[in-house]
C-alpha cells in the first residue's frame, strides 16, 4: 500500500508546510509501525506554530507537528506479543527511558529525558506512518472510533488530574477553563464520582457545549458571580476540588476563594509566565495543592472508559479537516475561533 509521503512540517515560527519529509526510522523488536488515521490539534502544537517555543523547548530546526494520534498497526517487531497487524490503536506520545530513576519510581512523566512527540527536537505524527514502542501503543476496542482514540491523549491529562486530586464520590468540582483540557477534565471528574461540576469560561459557546455534557453548570464570570454559583451549588461550603485549566494569571490568583475548607486545588493549565497565588488564603483552608504534568499510567484506563461509555468525547470534536488542508487547519486553530473545542486532522 502506498502512503502519502508528505508531513505537516513547522519550518520555523509562523511557517508551516505540507511537504515530503523523509525520516530514517528502524523497526526494533519491541516496536510496531502504525499507519496514522486521525491526529488532534493541541494547544501546544498551535503555540509552537505561533511562538516557536514553549518555555525551554525552542524550535531550532524543521519539526513535524502532532502528538494526539490513532491509527492501524501495519507491521510488528519480532518480539511484539500484545499487538497484531490490523489492530486499531492509540499511542502515548511520551517515551521515557526505562533506566531512569523517574521511570523506576513509577513517575515516568517526570523523566527529564522523556522523548515526546512534537516537542523539539522530536518529530510528531502528522505524517502517514510512525514507529512506536509496543509498550506505549494501546488497542482500541471496536466501539472506540479513531476520532475518540485520538482524544485519549488530552483525556489522559484530565484523568491524571482527577487521580491526583483523589476525588471522592459525591464531590463537587470547579473547572476553570472550557477548552479541550478543561472539558475533558470535567468529564473525567464526573466519571471519577463527582456529583456535579461547575465550569467557568468567558466563551459562551463553549459554555453552552459544556452544559450538554452532563451534570455541569456553566458560568461566565464576566456576566455572573462565580463565587455565588459555587455557594449555590454547595450550600455555601465551597467546592471540594478546583481544577485550574486556563493557565490564566488572574484565575490562578483566586483559586482558593471557591474552595471548601480542606479542599484540593489542581494546577493543570500551563501558564506562559510565572504566576503568584495567595498562600495565606490557602493556609486558612489547609488547602492541598497539586500540580500535574502530562500523565502516567492512564492510557488504558481512558480507553476503558471510552469503551464502556462512561466518558463520551465525541461532542468535543467540533471540526475535522482532511490531511491536505493541514496548514489551513492550523491557521483556523491559531485564530482561536469561538466555540471550537477540539479540531482534528484525518489522513
Ligand atoms: Zn495534546
Amino acid at each position: 500500500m502506498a502512503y502519502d509521503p508528505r508531513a505537516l512540517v513547522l519550518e520555523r515560527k509562523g511557517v508551516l508546510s505540507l511537504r515530503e519529509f523523509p525520516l530514517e526510522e528502524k523497526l526494533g523488536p519491541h516496536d510496531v509501525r502504525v499507519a496514522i488515521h486521525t491526529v488532534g490539534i493541541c494547544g501546544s502544537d498551535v503555540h509552537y506554530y505561533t511562538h516557536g517555543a514553549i518555555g525551554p523547548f525552542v524550535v531550532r530546526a524543521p519539526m513535524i507537528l502532532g502528538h494526539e494520534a490513532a491509527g492501524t498497526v501495519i507491521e510488528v517487531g519480532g518480539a511484539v506479543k500484545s499487538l497484531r497487524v490490523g489492530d486499531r490503536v492509540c499511542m502515548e506520545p511520551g517515551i521515557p527511558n526505562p533506566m531512569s530513576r523517574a521511570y523506576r519510581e513509577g513517575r515516568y512523566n517526570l523523566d527529564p529525558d522523556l522523548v515526546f512527540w512534537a516537542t523539539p527536537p522530536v518529530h510528531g505524527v502528522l505524517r502517514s506512518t510512525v514507529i512506536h514502542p509496543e509498550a506505549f501503543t494501546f488497542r482500541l476496542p471496536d466501539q472506540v472510533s479513531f476520532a475518540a482514540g485520538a482524544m485519549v491523549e488530552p483525556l489522559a491529562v484530565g484523568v491524571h488530574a482527577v487521580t491526583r486530586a483523589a476525588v471522592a464520590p459525591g464531590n463537587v468540582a470547579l473547572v476553570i477553563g472550557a477548552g479541550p483540557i478543561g472539558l475533558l477534565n470535567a468529564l473525567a471528574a464526573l466519571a471519577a464520582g463527582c456529583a456535579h461540576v461547575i465550569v467557568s469560561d468567558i466563551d459562551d459557546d463553549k459554555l453552552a457545549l459544556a452544559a450538554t455534557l452532563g451534570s455541569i453548570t456553566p458560568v461566565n464570570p464576566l456576566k455572573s458571580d462565580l463565587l455565588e454559583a459555587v455557594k449555590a451549588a454547595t450550600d455555601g461550603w465551597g467546592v471540594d476540588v478546583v481544577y485550574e485549566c486556563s493557565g490564566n494569571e488572574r484565575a490562578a490568583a483566586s483559586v482558593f476563594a471557591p474552595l471548601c475548607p480542606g479542599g484540593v486545588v489542581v494546577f493543570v493549565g500551563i501558564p506562559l509566565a510565572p504566576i503568584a497565588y495567595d498562600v495565606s488564603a490557602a493556609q486558612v483552608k489547609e488547602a492541598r495543592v497539586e500540580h500535574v504534568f502530562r500523565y502516567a499510567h492512564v492510557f488504558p484506563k481512558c480507553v476503558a472508559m471510552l469503551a464502556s461509555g462512561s466518558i463520551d468525547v465525541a461532542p468535543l470534536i467540533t471540526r475535522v479537516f482532511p490531511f491536505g488542508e493541514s496548514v489551513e487547519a492550523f491557521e483556523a486553530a491559531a485564530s482561536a475561533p469561538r466555540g471550537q473545542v477540539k479540531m482534528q486532522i484525518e489522513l
Side-chain angles (χ1 to χ4, degrees):
M1 182 168 171
Y3 292 100
D4 192 326
R6 296 174 300 169
L8 183 71
V9 181
L10 178 60
E11 308 286 359
R12 58 187 177 276
K13 175 184 159 181
V15 181
L16 285 170
S17 54
L18 192 58
R19 65 167 168 98
E20 289 193 23
F21 198 99
L23 287 176
E24 279 297 326
E25 282 191 314
K26 216 171 128 338
L27 187 83
H30 296 282
D31 293 334
V32 295
R33 193 189 305 270
V34 176
I36 302 294
H37 184 285
T38 301
V39 180
I41 299 178
C42 181
S44 69
D45 295 311
V46 175
H47 200 79
Y48 282 122
Y49 168 44
T50 54
H51 290 72
I54 295 179
F57 300 103
V58 181
V59 178
R60 300 187 198 279
M63 177 180 82
I64 300 172
L65 290 173
H67 63 260
E68 304 178 356
T72 304
V73 174
I74 53 171
E75 191 180 356
V76 298
V80 169
K81 291 201 170 75
S82 65
L83 293 167
R84 289 189 295 191
V85 169
D87 281 344
R88 298 164 59 258
V89 294
C90 65
M91 290 79 79
E92 184 166 343
I95 307 169
N97 173 2
M99 305 307 286
S100 71
R101 181 160 178 175
Y103 185 90
R104 285 184 279 120
E105 294 195 0
R107 303 187 73 172
Y108 64 83
N109 55 319
L110 307 182
D111 177 4
D113 296 328
L114 188 87
V115 170
F116 197 97
W117 285 341
T119 301
V122 182
H123 290 296
V125 286
L126 271 161
R127 49 182 156 130
S128 293
T129 67
V130 69
I131 288 175
H132 206 58
E134 171 190 20
F136 292 90
T137 304
F138 304 93
R139 190 187 359 253
L140 299 174
D142 291 345
Q143 67 269 38
V144 179
S145 66
F146 286 117
M151 288 290 272
V152 168
E153 197 275 337
L155 176 60
V157 176
V159 171
H160 185 58
V162 301
T163 305
R164 296 302 298 269
V167 167
N171 276 175
V172 177
L174 167 64
V175 172
I176 301 170
I181 295 295
L183 294 183
L184 289 165
N185 209 134
L187 292 178
L190 289 168
C194 276
H196 191 67
V197 177
I198 298 162
V199 173
S200 78
D201 200 285
I202 57 172
D203 180 335
D204 285 324
D205 295 338
K206 285 182 188 152
L207 290 174
L209 173 62
T212 68
L213 299 176
S215 179
I216 291 175
T217 300
V219 177
N220 182 336
L222 298 181
K223 296 182 176 170
S224 59
D225 190 327
L226 178 59
L227 284 184
E228 287 305 316
V230 166
K231 282 184 188 160
T234 60
D235 289 332
W237 177 242
V239 293
D240 302 283
V241 190
V242 173
Y243 298 100
E244 204 311 287
C245 297
S246 72
N248 180 279
E249 185 181 339
R250 284 226 315 273
S254 52
V255 284
F256 300 106
L259 190 70
C260 77
V264 54
V265 170
V266 187
F267 283 101
V268 184
I270 303 174
L272 294 175
I275 58 173
Y277 68 70
D278 185 342
V279 172
S280 66
Q283 285 172 318
V284 296
K285 290 181 172 173
E286 287 202 340
R288 180 161 63 89
V289 180
E290 296 277 352
H291 302 88
V292 303
F293 183 60
R294 296 174 178 150
Y295 37 72
H297 309 292
V298 294
F299 264 56
K301 295 169 187 164
C302 294
V303 172
M305 287 189 285
L306 293 175
S308 72
S310 68
I311 289 181
D312 178 14
V313 293
L316 305 189
I317 302 165
T318 46
R319 201 164 166 197
V320 180
F321 291 81
F323 184 51
E325 292 172 20
S326 292
V327 175
E328 291 83 349
F330 269 78
E331 284 167 357
S335 72
R338 286 175 62 86
Q340 289 293 342
V341 179
K342 177 57 72 181
M343 298 187 186
Q344 292 185 328
I345 294 171
E346 271 184 9
L347 279 88

